[in-house]
Amino acid sequence: MAAASRLHVPLSICWRALVLAAVLAGLCACSPRLLLVRGMADGLAAQGQSPEDDLVLAREASAFYLKLSESLLQEVPDHLPLSQALASGFTQYAYAFVAFEAERIESRDSRAAQALRERAARLYARANRHALAALEQSQPGFRHALESANPKDWPQLRAEQVGLAYWGAASWGGLISLSKDKPDTVADLPLAMRLAQLAYARQPGYGQGALAGLMASFESARPGGSSAQALGYFDQAIALGGAAAASPLVAKAEGVALPAGDRAAFEALLQQALQVAAAHPDLQNAVMRERAQWLLSSADDLF
């Protein structure tokens, strides 16, 4: 469900984080302390967008970054950029390093794969909690309004809330996709879709096509979804990616070509994704390159 999200897993932060942690531990409880804490939160939130194309380094650095950021967020719970960085970080970690690994090992160790899926679900849930808590913090009554049956009561997003709504919806979708045996979780699908729709209504081009890709995934997944509408979202995501993002191509291969049984289109999209990833090396494209290669190698089993 989160396949179309753009990844910016935080790296090059270990030394900075250690210094920040040491400073934070020594600060006294006073006004200057709060200013310094907010400055640290600003720095960590910005660091979450740093580019990187080494998947191993990304995986090793991310856990420390996420734990430190969670500790800091307890000091400044109203810091929306840090909340968004945490929601995106946990979602991306779950997708790129946990759920994907479960898929790859399923055929040879189903028990280990199930354990990984359960862990990924917990990480998605953690990301979702951060996003929804931040939305509630910035707009009290947000969850209640989101659950209303009357569209007139639904919350209206401000520009600075769009990213939180995107990652909240993406993590929610990831959690639902791994919770088929939990009816209460699956029942939240309309709320997750509504959150994505609110973000899309406010800023349809968010994330260079990431939000459009998420809309496509939701439309493909929902009961009675329109394949034509999903295709339109996928094509919009590819156009917004500007030929520099491999994820919309991989998402369209999995969301359109695979269900249609069109192996030629499936392989063509994945080959195109590999070309894009090679031309524009970054972490997101590195993840998509690995996924595209794995899907191509699994094509005989998929068709």
Side-chain angles (χ1 to χ4, degrees):
M1 185 67 70
S5 56
R6 298 189 62 80
L7 288 119
H8 301 283
V9 175
L11 293 185
S12 306
I13 51 85
C14 288
W15 68 272
R16 296 183 190 180
L18 288 170
V19 172
L20 292 176
V23 172
L24 179 60
L27 291 174
C28 62
C30 56
S31 180
R33 173 185 183 278
L34 183 59
L35 291 175
L36 284 170
V37 169
R38 286 195 172 277
M40 295 176 196
D42 290 341
L44 282 175
Q47 188 64 47
Q49 301 300 314
S50 297
E52 179 57 53
D53 62 1
D54 187 314
L55 290 180
V56 176
L57 187 58
R59 182 169 190 161
E60 291 174 349
S62 291
F64 182 80
Y65 169 87
L66 291 169
K67 286 297 297 178
L68 178 64
S69 296
E70 276 192 321
S71 297
L72 196 58
L73 186 63
Q74 293 178 1
E75 302 284 331
V76 283
D78 61 340
H79 198 287
L80 297 189
L82 187 58
S83 295
Q84 181 176 322
L86 276 165
S88 66
F90 277 114
T91 301
Q92 294 170 114
Y93 190 93
Y95 174 75
F97 303 128
V98 186
F100 182 29
E101 183 63 19
E103 291 181 88
R104 290 198 287 194
I105 70 170
E106 176 67 42
S107 61
R108 65 177 185 273
D109 192 340
S110 60
R111 182 173 296 180
Q114 178 59 26
L116 285 171
R117 283 193 293 271
E118 291 172 358
R119 182 180 180 224
R122 291 193 297 271
L123 291 168
Y124 281 135
R126 198 164 175 173
N128 184 253
R129 286 195 298 272
H130 280 299
L132 292 183
L135 288 168
E136 187 72 25
Q137 174 84 19
S138 64
Q139 191 172 334
F142 186 94
R143 175 64 183 256
H144 180 73
L146 185 68
E147 294 174 345
S148 174
N150 187 351
K152 293 181 179 180
D153 295 332
W154 294 348
Q156 299 298 310
L157 294 175
R158 301 190 299 273
E160 66 270 20
Q161 295 175 311
V162 171
L164 280 166
Y166 167 75
W167 289 110
S171 58
W172 220 339
L175 173 61
I176 291 168
S177 71
L178 296 177
S179 305
K180 302 302 185 185
D181 59 341
K182 297 180 180 178
D184 288 346
T185 301
V186 175
D188 283 337
L189 179 59
L191 293 181
M193 293 181 61
R194 187 173 301 164
L195 187 57
Q197 289 164 351
L198 292 173
Y200 187 80
R202 185 68 174 80
Q203 192 176 338
Y206 177 82
Q208 294 180 280
L211 180 52
L214 181 62
M215 293 292 291
S217 296
F218 274 132
E219 188 63 31
S220 298
R222 75 177 181 88
S226 167
S227 57
Q229 189 170 1
L231 180 59
Y233 283 132
F234 278 124
D235 288 341
Q236 182 187 25
I238 292 171
L240 288 168
S247 59
L249 296 162
V250 176
K252 185 176 179 180
E254 293 190 83
V256 177
L258 182 57
D262 190 342
R263 181 166 181 170
F266 179 80
E267 293 182 344
L269 285 164
L270 293 176
Q271 291 293 350
Q272 188 179 349
L274 291 175
Q275 293 171 8
V276 169
H280 302 277
D282 60 22
L283 184 60
Q284 179 233 8
N285 282 340
V287 171
M288 291 300 111
R289 182 188 65 239
E290 286 207 354
R291 186 164 187 86
Q293 290 172 336
W294 175 72
L295 288 167
L296 284 169
S297 69
S298 305
D300 287 341
D301 297 325
L302 296 172
F303 288 91

